[in-house]
Amino acid sequence: MVKQAAMSTDQPLPSPEEIQRNQAHAKHEAALRLWSSGDWDQVIRLLEEALVLVPDHTVYLDNLRKAREARETKRRHETFLRLFQNARDAYAARRWQDAIREYEAALNIYPNDNAANRNLQLAREQLANSNEESRKASAARLPCVSQLRARMSPLGIRKPTPPAKPRNFAASAAPFLGHGPSMSAPRIRLKARSRTSSVYGGDRKSTRLNCS
């Protein structure tokens, strides 16, 4: 065992380039083990670290390109599912315009998706029916056409209003002349007070009016 140990110490140490290649190979193998898990962020990180050690390795470069494409595909699919679910929720809530917008956004990702195309058509039909019902309801609230024609002259001009009859001045002026009960003048209470004066040497009664 001593000889074997001595023989192992006689082996040359690996070069820095070989150490880097071994480290890059280990990172590449770790990325391949994570490939089936779908954790593309971690896979891409390991491959990028391997390429830092061995920049021109064609296998590492090819696998990095495939991993980035797989990550982009996964993100697009998740976005499509989110938009599709939002569209279904809007459709169930009878928000037709929101449903149409979400379905159209989902079809920008997968234009040939059968379910999204079919549901988009249904949402557009529901929106058209809703607009038609609103138009009919608005028309029902308008005045009848025959009533409008009865109030219009043959030339399409509104009939003038006849002049008002002249009012009787005496009748109209009655409230202001005191004949009406609502415009009667306030009563003035007159109280007579007697005083005795001794003018010219005689007793004389004078009357003073007191208005209260």
Side-chain angles (χ1 to χ4, degrees):
M1 294 180 64
V2 176
K3 292 182 180 180
Q4 290 178 356
M7 290 177 60
S8 62
T9 57
D10 293 338
Q11 293 179 357
L13 296 176
S15 63
E17 292 78 6
E18 187 176 356
I19 294 175
Q20 289 181 354
R21 285 195 299 270
N22 293 335
Q23 292 176 350
H25 178 73
K27 292 181 180 296
H28 180 259
E29 292 296 324
L32 294 180
R33 287 193 295 269
L34 291 174
W35 196 275
S36 60
S37 66
D39 189 1
W40 301 115
D41 292 335
Q42 185 69 8
V43 171
I44 291 172
R45 185 185 65 81
L46 291 171
L47 292 174
E48 289 175 345
E49 291 177 356
L51 285 168
V52 170
L53 300 172
V54 185
D56 299 329
H57 201 291
T58 56
V59 176
Y60 300 168
L61 288 171
D62 186 61
N63 289 339
L64 178 61
R65 177 183 59 81
K66 293 178 180 179
R68 288 173 175 172
E69 291 177 355
R71 181 177 64 180
E72 182 63 23
T73 301
K74 179 182 178 181
R75 289 178 177 176
R76 288 168 58 85
H77 185 68
E78 291 175 348
T79 303
F80 173 83
L81 294 178
R82 176 176 55 81
L83 294 172
F84 190 87
Q85 185 60 42
N86 292 341
R88 292 185 60 184
D89 295 341
Y91 190 95
R94 303 179 66 85
R95 292 184 285 108
W96 313 123
Q97 293 181 348
D98 294 341
I100 291 172
R101 184 179 62 252
E102 296 294 329
Y103 278 129
E104 289 176 345
L107 287 171
N108 289 332
I109 300 174
Y110 294 147
N112 298 324
D113 187 81
N114 294 330
N117 280 289
R118 182 177 64 255
N119 293 345
L120 175 60
Q121 183 63 29
L122 292 175
R124 287 173 175 172
E125 292 176 358
Q126 292 292 343
L127 178 61
N129 295 335
S130 177
N131 293 337
E132 181 64 18
E133 292 176 358
S134 299
R135 187 189 65 80
K136 291 181 179 180
S138 300
R141 290 192 296 267
L142 294 177
C144 182
V145 177
S146 60
Q147 296 178 0
L148 291 176
R149 290 178 178 176
R151 298 174 59 184
M152 303 294 289
S153 65
L155 297 179
I157 304 175
R158 187 180 180 88
K159 294 181 179 179
T161 304
K165 296 181 180 179
R167 301 177 61 185
N168 188 351
F169 177 77
S172 61
F176 300 96
L177 297 177
H179 299 293
S182 60
M183 298 296 294
S184 59
R187 296 181 180 180
I188 300 175
R189 292 183 300 173
L190 303 179
K191 296 181 180 180
R193 295 182 181 180
S194 61
R195 293 180 58 186
T196 303
S197 61
S198 58
V199 181
Y200 301 106
D203 294 337
R204 183 178 179 181
K205 291 185 178 180
S206 62
T207 302
R208 177 181 296 177
L209 297 178
N210 181 21
C211 299
S212 57

